[in-house]
Amino acid sequence: MSTYDVAVIGSGPGGYVAAIRCAQLGMKTAIIEKYNTLGGTCLNVGCIPSKALLDSSHHYHDAITHFEEHGIEISGDVKANLEKMIARKQNVVDTNTSGIQYLMDKNKITVYNGVGSFKDATHINIAKADGKSEEIEAKNIIIATGSKPSTLPFIKLDKKRVITSTEALSLKEIPKHMVVIGGGVIGLELGQVYKRLGAEVSVIEYMDRIIPTMDASLSKELQKVLKKQGVKFYTKHKVTGVKTSAKEVTITADDKKGNPVEFKGDYCLVSVGRKPYTDGLGLEKAGVTLSERGQVEVNAHLRTNIATIYAIGDVVKGAMLAHKAEEEGVFVAETIAGQKPHIDYNLIPGVVYTWPEVAAVGKTEEELKEAGVNYKSGQFSMRALGRSRASGDIDGFVKILADATTDEVLGVHMVGARVADLIAEAVTAMEFRASAEDIARMSHAHPTYAEAVKEAALDATGKRALHS
Ligand code: FAD
Ligand code: NAD
């Protein structure tokens, strides 16, 4: 039987990063993945394929709506070829997943393809696709088995008409009317993909606003812009049923006033969140406990109730984000190596890759109000930037929340072009506990979208933005 210092179950961004860091730290490491390709949800059916389709559909949409204003004339029809877009997306996925295989080889990490399940706290059985199985032993085990889409109790996901993000990333046709249940990240990103390609898109959201966990100003701005692009929103609607026939889906809901309403579409995307995945893992054989929400329970060191078993990423509490899983992977590897790593969960940014993009880090205004913090706010509109006018991307703003007394930046919230990249500046500033004045006094290249961060900081420090 092969023995390891560390065995990682699951090869998503949590698992594969943990494995690399363990190997870097000199530990003999194995990784077990039930699918044939590495990379988990993120690389195979999550972050990467969704961004590939967002980019392709963005190009198409620009061609039919914005090229003309830029003086680009197209003779003949511009057509969206979904089959080609999906094929390109798959190519992007394949390149990325084989890149992870390369990283495993480079770091001398042994890869096992098969379903891993605990035999006891130090032994894992690996059931392979050909029916054979193999057992390995490991001093330390990291559970990184991720998550799967969740649904509502009364909705049956037939994966043909009533679909999850996984199917939405590989559709064979552009829907005529896609009804999206859940106005969170997946619903809005994939909703926008198909809206750009010509589908009618209706988003039904239970709460009173889309992306309800983000700062309310972001929800309002994004909804306004997406509405302008033609997406229909039904907030404060409670879905009560979903029925399918061969080519149609009927969704019933109670509207804001409690009156029954009906939506008919050819596809219904269910995007009401994801749930931790531990099926077939045999946790009970190792004695590892789960929380009431089905998450693997961990302490502040991401250790389960069994001292040599750790868990990271979507399968534990916290934001279900690839970069959060990655941080936790490094954290656990360094903990096992005897180091004392640290993660500041308040500084894990959140991004929605619609266009305009949405990005945030730190506290929202709602959280600061609830905590009774005395804060001040500075804001700057993207439309006032020379860079935005040059590209034509004038929607959105940057908002900086700072402590009213100390000026320390407490939260940064943005909507606009490329804010997914701009948020890194805010994370850096907050990691170093910068004041709004610190950001305001830094030189920002002109013309860039980043100038909105400087201007918002100037606004926060004493209403002294220069270009508004
Ligand atoms: P996963 O990536 O889910 O990987 C878990 C792996 O474990 C899987 O490969 C699974 O097959 C394997 N596994 C499970 N059980 C076993 C077993 N018993 N034996 C062997 N292997 C097993 N996050 C972002 O930060 N940015 C984004 O832009 C983004 N976009 C997304 C878009 C979509 C459509 C979706 C669905 C998600 C997106 N996410 C995004 C979320 C992101 O994908 C997850 O947060 C991330 O993948 C979690 O990483 P993980 O390592 O915890 O688990
Ligand atoms: P989500 O939590 O982002 O959004 C779910 C939405 O569904 C929420 O707005 C919620 O209020 C709503 N909802 C819940 N129950 C409902 C009901 N009965 N009727 C109507 N609406 C209902 O979840 P998601 O969009 O499914 O994404 C799952 C996870 O994947 C998220 O945790 C997210 O972090 C991750 N993800 C991240 C990215 C990114 O970082 N850009 C992209 C996609 C997915």
Side-chain angles (χ1 to χ4, degrees):
M1 186 192 313
S2 300
T3 61
Y4 296 91
D5 295 316
V6 183
V8 183
I9 310 178
S11 72
Y16 85 74
V17 167
I20 292 173
R21 189 71 188 117
C22 286
Q24 283 178 345
L25 290 164
M27 293 180 259
K28 189 181 171 200
T29 308
I31 192 163
I32 305 154
E33 170 54 55
K34 71 175 188 176
Y35 291 119
N36 290 332
T37 56
L38 302 176
T41 304
C42 176
L43 273 73
N44 290 280
V45 289
C47 325
I48 301 302
S50 58
K51 267 79 255 177
L53 288 185
L54 275 158
D55 285 338
S56 297
S57 61
H58 197 169
H59 287 312
Y60 170 71
H61 192 250
D62 269 352
I64 58 171
T65 54
H66 295 304
F67 272 17
E68 211 181 322
E69 80 196 50
H70 285 275
I72 304 167
E73 288 168 12
I74 298 171
S75 56
D77 286 347
V78 179
K79 285 188 194 139
N81 183 330
L82 185 65
E83 199 182 335
K84 266 196 182 168
M85 279 186 195
I86 303 269
R88 176 189 175 275
K89 172 221 75 173
Q90 197 50 47
N91 210 4
V92 172
V93 168
D94 295 345
T95 311
N96 273 276
T97 56
S98 55
I100 305 299
Q101 183 65 54
Y102 161 80
L103 291 174
M104 296 299 105
D105 296 345
K106 186 183 160 204
N107 286 284
K108 303 194 172 38
I109 296 161
T110 309
V111 176
Y112 290 95
N113 285 108
V115 177
S117 62
F118 284 96
K119 243 188 120 188
D120 57 40
T122 49
H123 293 86
I124 302 167
N125 181 67
I126 302 158
K128 303 188 176 170
D130 61 7
K132 293 186 182 143
S133 67
E134 188 172 350
E135 194 178 315
I136 62 167
E137 185 181 38
K139 286 188 203 130
N140 299 281
I141 296 173
I142 304 174
I143 302 167
T145 49
S147 63
K148 290 276 176 214
S150 58
T151 182
L152 301 175
F154 51 86
I155 300 180
K156 188 177 169 320
L157 298 165
D158 67 13
K159 302 194 174 178
K160 292 189 178 86
R161 296 279 154 198
V162 185
I163 60 175
T164 71
S165 53
T166 303
E167 296 74 50
L169 291 168
S170 294
L171 286 184
K172 300 250 179 306
E173 59 179 358
I174 298 166
K176 290 182 191 66
H177 183 194
M178 178 179 262
V179 181
V180 178
I181 303 180
V185 207
I186 290 180
L188 298 178
E189 288 185 359
L190 294 178
Q192 193 178 38
V193 164
Y194 287 105
K195 177 70 216 161
R196 286 169 179 161
L197 297 180
E200 188 188 334
V201 174
S202 304
V203 178
I204 308 175
E205 168 57 52
Y206 180 73
M207 304 294 279
D208 60 355
R209 59 186 177 96
I210 58 169
I211 42 169
T213 54
M214 298 188 95
D215 191 278
S217 63
L218 303 185
S219 308
K220 199 172 157 197
E221 179 73 4
L222 184 64
Q223 183 166 338
K224 189 181 87 189
V225 180
L226 293 182
K227 215 170 145 189
K228 239 177 9 191
Q229 293 174 7
V231 179
K232 294 193 179 111
F233 290 98
Y234 303 88
T235 51
K236 263 186 146 173
H237 275 58
K238 186 175 176 221
V239 175
T240 51
V242 174
K243 282 206 184 94
T244 39
S245 62
K247 292 200 167 169
E248 199 178 60
V249 192
T250 307
I251 296 99
T252 48
D254 290 338
D255 73 6
K256 289 179 186 179
K257 293 182 181 148
N259 297 322
V261 285
E262 199 175 83
F263 302 84
K264 281 189 190 297
D266 48 350
Y267 289 90
C268 173
L269 169 63
V270 181
S271 49
V272 293
R274 293 175 62 86
K275 56 177 187 227
Y277 183 71
T278 54
D279 292 4
L281 197 51
L283 287 177
E284 62 294 341
K285 292 197 182 139
V288 172
T289 54
L290 291 179
S291 72
E292 270 179 10
R293 301 177 63 186
Q295 294 157 331
V296 176
E297 264 178 328
V298 285
N299 66 13
H301 302 286
L302 299 171
R303 201 175 251 139
T304 67
N305 57 314
I306 307 297
T308 55
I309 304 180
Y310 299 79
I312 57 173
D314 282 11
V315 81
V316 301
K317 65 189 174 198
M320 287 185 166
L321 295 173
H323 44 287
K324 178 258 194 187
E326 291 187 34
E327 292 305 322
E328 292 184 336
V330 170
F331 179 97
V332 164
E334 293 179 352
T335 301
I336 294 171
Q339 299 183 3
K340 301 227 167 343
H342 172 73
I343 298 176
D344 186 346
Y345 285 96
N346 183 45
L347 296 187
I348 304 239
V351 172
V352 189
Y353 293 84
T354 46
W355 197 266
E357 293 174 334
V358 182
V361 64
K363 302 289 181 218
T364 64
E365 278 210 66
E366 293 74 33
E367 285 167 339
L368 292 177
K369 276 184 192 141
E370 201 179 314
V373 176
N374 192 8
Y375 70 94
K376 55 189 180 174
S377 170
Q379 191 161 321
F380 191 80
S381 283
M382 289 296 185
R383 68 178 56 242
L385 293 175
R387 185 72 192 87
S388 298
R389 293 205 199 102
S391 70
D393 294 299
I394 54 171
D395 292 313
F397 57 82
V398 174
K399 178 168 86 172
I400 296 188
L401 307 173
D403 187 283
T405 317
T406 65
D407 199 35
E408 179 176 352
V409 177
L410 302 174
V412 181
H413 307 278
M414 315 172 169
V415 182
R418 298 194 202 158
V419 297
D421 297 296
L422 294 195
I423 201 67
E425 177 184 0
V427 177
T428 310
M430 290 176 71
E431 272 292 351
F432 287 92
R433 300 197 60 177
S435 63
E437 174 101 31
D438 288 330
I439 298 178
R441 291 200 176 272
M442 278 161 48
S443 173
H444 287 67
H446 173 78
T448 57
Y449 299 108
E451 286 173 285
V453 180
K454 179 187 174 90
E455 293 278 4
L458 279 165
D459 193 42
T461 52
K463 300 294 155 206
R464 51 193 178 93
L466 295 164
H467 293 87
S468 67

